[in-house]
Amino acid sequence: MTRTLRGWAIQGVALAAALCAAGRPGVAGAHEFWLSPSSYRQTKGDTLEIAAFVGTGFRGERCPYAATRTRSFELLGAKRLDLAPATVNGELVYARFIGADAGGSLAAYESGFTPLTLPAPDFDRYLALEGLALARAARAKLGAGAGEGRERYARCAKTWIAGTNRARALRAAGLTLEILPLSAPVEGAPLRVRVLFRKKPLAGALVRTWSAPLGHGFAPRSEAHRDSVGPVAEARSDPGGVATIPVSGAGEWLVGVVHMVPCREREVADWESYWASLTFVPEPRR
């Protein structure tokens, strides 16, 4: 039986990574996906790498780059660069680049759709766990006729590599589902983010945050030394798409949101979901 999402009895994040690498739907399809730079700080001339992880509780395994499932992969720094032409299919490092200045960079990735089918009880439980109230209510109206959950999902991930130009963290990348900070993340200060769906504010979205200790300097802790953790906080976005989340301390932070709508191609799936994430390390309070 297919199992999915945090809190369920799963075989572990290694299985999620295996499914991700194979391009198959299943357990990996229902886990968080995030971008992870080699350092969350940028200075001029630094060589930085960007990888991607899939897992639960901010603990996961590296997900190989899949060229055929990539819609866009860009770097917004001193200039806006298309990273996709320089990527290699199957590589664990999605991109390498040299910092053009010390201003900081925002990397943004969006995948195409991957299909996922779950038995009705599992799909309904998934909707409840992810706070997808509209899809859950629509299926409840159908009762037993709702049938199995036929879905296709896409990833919309961003990471902020901080520098001297905080305004770069606030730029919209144009992802289908996007978490847009309204200020640069700072330790011990609330962070207001706007959730955008197809470039418009999305109300009622459940925004969750996780936090993990850093490794050396501003580098993420390696996957072998990470523990799965529960969300630090969650909040629903207001009518303007804005949610306020606490950034209570130092370390690496993940903000995530899921949005599901009826699929536009009903012969393919009944629902399509978008999984957005934003990773960063907050700056010290001045």
Side-chain angles (χ1 to χ4, degrees):
M1 180 180 72
T2 303
R3 295 168 181 169
T4 178
L5 290 179
R6 60 181 77 82
W8 293 25
I10 59 173
Q11 296 299 314
V13 292
L15 177 58
L19 290 170
C20 177
R24 294 167 49 199
V27 175
H31 287 65
E32 284 78 31
F33 173 96
W34 65 93
L35 297 181
S36 178
S38 54
S39 173
Y40 278 99
R41 291 294 184 270
Q42 177 179 315
T43 58
K44 185 176 181 179
D46 282 350
T47 298
L48 297 167
E49 297 181 348
I50 299 173
F53 284 78
V54 62
T56 58
F58 212 2
R59 178 176 184 265
E61 299 291 333
R62 289 192 178 220
C63 187
Y65 185 81
T68 58
R69 298 202 304 274
T70 299
R71 284 193 61 194
S72 64
F73 186 29
E74 294 184 307
L75 186 73
L76 287 68
K79 297 181 179 180
R80 188 165 187 151
L81 301 175
D82 184 1
L83 296 175
T87 58
V88 178
N89 190 55
E91 285 290 320
L92 293 177
V93 174
Y94 279 32
R96 293 181 179 89
F97 68 95
I98 297 174
D101 60 15
S105 296
L106 181 74
Y109 168 89
E110 181 164 351
S111 76
F113 287 116
T114 299
L116 173 67
T117 300
L118 293 174
D122 290 355
F123 192 70
D124 292 336
R125 194 174 301 123
Y126 152 37
L127 298 180
L129 285 169
E130 290 302 329
L132 298 169
L134 293 179
R136 191 180 179 195
R139 284 179 57 85
K141 287 183 180 179
L142 295 175
E148 62 185 5
R150 298 172 59 247
E151 176 196 2
R152 62 181 188 177
Y153 65 89
R155 308 293 197 178
C156 303
K158 295 166 49 177
T159 189
W160 165 236
I161 304 169
T164 57
N165 189 346
R166 290 183 171 185
R168 293 181 184 177
L170 316 183
R171 290 182 293 184
L175 304 179
T176 302
L177 182 64
E178 183 166 359
I179 301 168
L180 182 66
L182 299 182
S183 61
V186 175
E187 288 178 22
L191 176 64
R192 296 173 70 244
V193 299
R194 175 168 280 121
V195 182
L196 299 174
F197 181 59
R198 296 173 183 157
K199 301 182 180 180
K200 296 181 180 180
L202 178 64
L206 181 61
V207 180
R208 287 180 168 135
T209 62
W210 294 260
S211 180
L214 284 167
H216 179 70
F218 292 102
R221 181 171 288 188
S222 71
E223 53 267 40
H225 297 93
R226 298 176 78 103
D227 293 321
S228 183
V229 296
V232 174
E234 61 180 44
R236 291 276 182 183
S237 59
D238 66 17
V242 176
T244 301
I245 52 179
V247 179
S248 53
E252 182 185 17
W253 287 76
L254 166 66
V255 184
V257 64
V258 187
H259 184 54
M260 181 178 285
V261 295
C263 184
R264 293 166 290 180
E265 300 176 38
R266 299 307 289 270
E267 70 279 6
V268 175
D270 296 323
W271 300 93
E272 57 189 33
S273 65
Y274 299 85
W275 294 65
S277 65
L278 170 67
T279 49
F280 60 85
V281 168
E283 298 181 35
R285 184 186 284 270
R286 295 175 181 174

